[in-house]
Amino acid sequence: ASAARLSGAPDVPFWRRRGVVGGHLLSCAIGVACHEFVSVPMGTPILAAPLAVACSIVGMQATRTLHPPAGGTTLIAVLGSERLHELSFGLLLPTGSSAAILVLIALGNNFVGRRYPTYWW
């Protein structure tokens, strides 16, 4: 969703670079924390999934990094496979680098006539 929106509606405030990178990183961290501290002790993600999404939204609003597709990132961190859960907070590295690559590609559109917002934050 982030890639499509960055290309299709680059002027919408939700698609600021700060929101794309920061929103995904914050949501990933919250999702991993909810998995580790809620899902694992309970043995089920039934409470951790909605808690993670709600906390991610509040966290993104508090840090001004609101990015709606990051809600999916937090769910992936909670509901993902066992192999994904083994990464724990190491999941932040591929999440952050993927979000940064999306922003760089969107900035690359500036060279072909599409204007990605010139404001950084």
Side-chain angles (χ1 to χ4, degrees):
S2 295
R5 302 273 167 87
L6 282 170
S7 298
D11 293 324
V12 176
F14 290 139
W15 316 132
R16 289 187 197 134
R17 292 160 241 192
R18 171 185 64 220
V20 174
V21 177
H24 280 294
L25 281 172
L26 180 65
S27 293
C28 180
I30 290 171
V32 170
C34 283
H35 170 72
E36 296 289 331
F37 302 116
V38 180
S39 285
V40 171
M42 288 183 66
T44 179
I46 197 161
L47 179 61
L51 180 65
V53 173
C55 290
S56 292
I57 292 168
V58 171
M60 287 187 287
Q61 287 176 331
T63 58
R64 295 181 12 185
T65 58
L66 188 60
H67 185 64
T73 300
T74 201
L75 280 176
I76 290 169
V78 173
L79 301 173
S81 67
E82 189 58 40
R83 187 167 179 190
L84 189 73
H85 290 148
E86 288 172 3
L87 291 173
S88 189
F89 286 97
L91 187 58
L92 290 168
L93 181 63
T95 300
S97 59
S98 297
I101 290 168
L102 283 174
V103 168
L104 290 174
I105 291 170
L107 287 170
N109 286 335
N110 290 340
F111 296 114
V112 295
R114 273 311 287 236
R115 290 302 295 164
Y116 186 68
T118 54
Y119 50 85
W120 175 251
W121 300 103

